[in-house]
Amino acid sequence: MEKKRPAEPEYPVVVGSFGDNNRYRLVWLRGVGWEPLAHEEVESRVREVFPDIDFDDPEQVHWVDEAEEWPAGRPEDP
């Protein structure tokens, strides 16, 4: 039996939820896939793939939960 791949999100960028004690969110980039990105990495990485994206347009960037919030990270994280 062949396994079906899940449907791709309809948005160019999806910022996934985050768990406790983790400074990263999984970010889905159309044509690339999921990548763990820290707050300081997300804009530059997204702009590498989509140079003209409008981060304020919910049709282009979809936040799974708390928009523009990032986990605090563990105390040992830089």
Side-chain angles (χ1 to χ4, degrees), residues 1 3 11-13 15-18 20 22-23 31-33 36 39 42 45-46 48 50 59 68-69 76:
M1 183 174 188
K3 215 176 185 183
Y11 309 96
V13 176
V15 181
S17 61
F18 53 84
D20 295 336
N22 190 341
R23 67 185 210 109
V32 176
H39 182 240
V42 72
R45 177 62 181 131
V46 170
E48 283 179 28
F50 301 106
E59 294 297 316
E68 298 186 38
E69 287 187 14
E76 65 272 13

Side-chain angles (χ1 to χ4, degrees), residues 29-78:
L29 304 167
R30 182 181 290 148
V32 176
W34 291 98
E35 295 185 10
L37 297 173
H39 182 240
E40 60 274 5
E41 302 169 318
V42 72
E43 184 170 358
S44 63
R45 177 62 181 131
V46 170
R47 291 210 184 276
E48 283 179 28
V49 180
F50 301 106
D52 298 326
I53 199 158
D54 178 357
F55 279 87
D56 295 324
D57 182 352
E59 294 297 316
Q60 294 182 46
V61 179
H62 174 73
W63 292 77
V64 171
D65 57 10
E66 308 301 321
E68 298 186 38
E69 287 187 14
W70 291 85
R74 298 181 301 250
E76 65 272 13
D77 286 339

